[in-house]
Amino acid sequence: MSDAIVIEGLTKYYGPRCVVNTVNLRVPAGCVYGFLGRNGAGKSTLVKMLMGMVQPDAGSSKLLGDDSSSLTPDTRARVAYLAEGHPLYRWMTVAQATRFTQAFYAPERWHGRFLDEILDHFRISPKSKMGRLSNGQRAQVSLALALAPDPELLVLDDPTLGLDTVVRRDFLESMIHLIQRSGRTIFFSSHILSDVERVADRIGILVDGVLRVDCPTDTFKAALRRVVLEFSGSVPRFPDCEGLVSQRQIGNRLEIVVVNYGEVHRELAEQLGAIHVEEVEMNLEDAFISYTRGETRPLPSFDREPLRC
């Protein structure tokens, strides 16, 4: 299977601060890739470099085999991009925005009937003025306009931010409908971890500009464990060891988060004198928060590289 996105050594500085640090990443064609990170991690900067809107200081990226810094008109027509906040001209009607967007595409690429079906599904009239639509409705119009050229690759920068639960669900189901059509790829960042868990095949996690995780969603969830150790007396600290992400004391219990919890960790728990040890599985949101929150020391990686499979 070919790769829809290829990133090699992508790096960006703003002044002395490195906001994207030597990122290497490949997204297979047909994949739904959830790109995660806390505020300020560098997600939007990386997405903008992918789209050729920001030039990297080092490294390169390709979309559908074409270099991001010089995307050809043909490649741009095969890639749809939804920016955070869904910026649209508020003075336009939906019909005017449609004609404006359509002008950028060759007639054979524009699927007006498909766009009309999406707008009808969301119950949005072509006569409606953008400025009078809700945030959710503008997001739906943005999605409809992005899908009308039948893109092979859809790049979304936090597309469900600010939308209510029902609208987010409709938005995600529309995304799923798109990817079920052969060969379509979605790369999207989001702060709503339940959304990512529902639709993403793979995830990447950016921490302070460094790609720490790149693997199937289920692999990441399976790799992290919250382990609760109960003590009858004073609570000791868990010794530094391979895979330890964080630890905190809660009463007579010590809660640790560990990557690839195994025999070594069980032996250490026994040596500390824990009277009860419980392993707790986590959903994606809990695993993401536990992994990225960590402590002040460096996060553990997997074989000194991001977790990859």
Side-chain angles (χ1 to χ4, degrees), residues 195-256:
D195 291 354
V196 177
E197 187 168 19
R198 185 165 179 264
V199 301
D201 305 318
R202 297 181 66 89
I203 60 168
I205 297 180
L206 206 63
V207 180
D208 295 331
V210 178
L211 186 69
R212 292 287 185 180
V213 172
D214 172 29
C215 67
T217 308
D218 289 340
T219 298
F220 175 67
K221 291 192 296 179
L224 253 72
R225 281 289 181 272
R226 179 184 290 124
V227 184
V228 181
L229 290 71
E230 187 176 342
F231 296 88
S232 57
S234 60
V235 178
R237 280 187 63 82
F238 203 86
D240 283 341
C241 60
E242 182 69 25
L244 181 65
V245 175
S246 65
Q247 60 179 300
R248 62 173 179 166
Q249 180 182 345
I250 306 172
N252 67 334
R253 297 179 300 165
L254 180 66
E255 183 180 283
I256 63 172

Side-chain angles (χ1 to χ4, degrees), residues 122-266:
F122 289 133
R123 297 182 177 86
I124 296 175
S125 169
K127 297 179 181 179
S128 300
K129 203 161 217 178
M130 291 295 184
R132 295 179 181 174
L133 296 177
S134 67
N135 288 337
Q137 288 173 319
R138 280 194 291 274
Q140 291 163 344
V141 172
S142 295
L143 180 63
L145 294 174
L147 299 186
D150 197 17
E152 296 174 37
L153 171 63
L154 189 57
V155 179
L156 309 161
D157 190 3
D158 225 342
T160 60
L161 185 66
L163 306 186
D164 66 43
T165 304
V166 175
V167 173
R168 284 207 333 265
R169 177 62 62 89
D170 279 347
F171 194 96
L172 288 169
E173 286 177 352
S174 298
M175 284 173 51
I176 293 168
H177 174 74
L178 171 68
I179 62 171
Q180 285 175 339
R181 305 165 72 183
S182 176
R184 274 35 180 185
T185 308
I186 293 179
F187 181 89
F188 75 109
S189 68
S190 179
H191 287 85
I192 312 296
L193 277 297
S194 58
D195 291 354
V196 177
E197 187 168 19
R198 185 165 179 264
V199 301
D201 305 318
R202 297 181 66 89
I203 60 168
I205 297 180
L206 206 63
V207 180
D208 295 331
V210 178
L211 186 69
R212 292 287 185 180
V213 172
D214 172 29
C215 67
T217 308
D218 289 340
T219 298
F220 175 67
K221 291 192 296 179
L224 253 72
R225 281 289 181 272
R226 179 184 290 124
V227 184
V228 181
L229 290 71
E230 187 176 342
F231 296 88
S232 57
S234 60
V235 178
R237 280 187 63 82
F238 203 86
D240 283 341
C241 60
E242 182 69 25
L244 181 65
V245 175
S246 65
Q247 60 179 300
R248 62 173 179 166
Q249 180 182 345
I250 306 172
N252 67 334
R253 297 179 300 165
L254 180 66
E255 183 180 283
I256 63 172
V257 176
V258 180
V259 174
N260 293 329
Y261 182 73
E263 193 59 37
V264 171
H265 307 100
R266 294 186 183 93

Side-chain angles (χ1 to χ4, degrees), residues 36-38 191 193 205 207 220 224 226 245-246 248 257 282-295 299:
L36 310 177
R38 300 178 67 177
H191 287 85
L193 277 297
I205 297 180
V207 180
F220 175 67
L224 253 72
R226 179 184 290 124
V245 175
S246 65
R248 62 173 179 166
V257 176
M282 294 184 284
N283 60 26
L284 180 60
E285 182 171 357
D286 291 338
F288 170 79
I289 292 172
S290 297
Y291 185 75
T292 58
R293 181 168 56 192
E295 294 184 325
L299 284 169

Side-chain angles (χ1 to χ4, degrees), residues 88-102:
L88 295 165
Y89 290 113
R90 301 291 183 96
W91 54 268
M92 285 185 175
T93 65
V94 174
Q96 288 171 328
T98 298
R99 289 194 293 272
F100 175 78
T101 306
Q102 184 178 358

Side-chain angles (χ1 to χ4, degrees), residues 21-62:
N21 190 352
T22 323
V23 171
N24 296 288
L25 175 64
R26 291 176 179 267
V27 178
C31 175
V32 184
Y33 195 97
F35 191 53
L36 310 177
R38 300 178 67 177
N39 288 338
K43 300 188 305 300
S44 290
T45 298
L46 186 142
V47 169
K48 289 175 181 175
M49 286 192 285
L50 275 182
M51 297 306 301
M53 300 164 62
V54 171
Q55 292 300 309
D57 292 312
S60 63
S61 60
K62 292 182 179 181

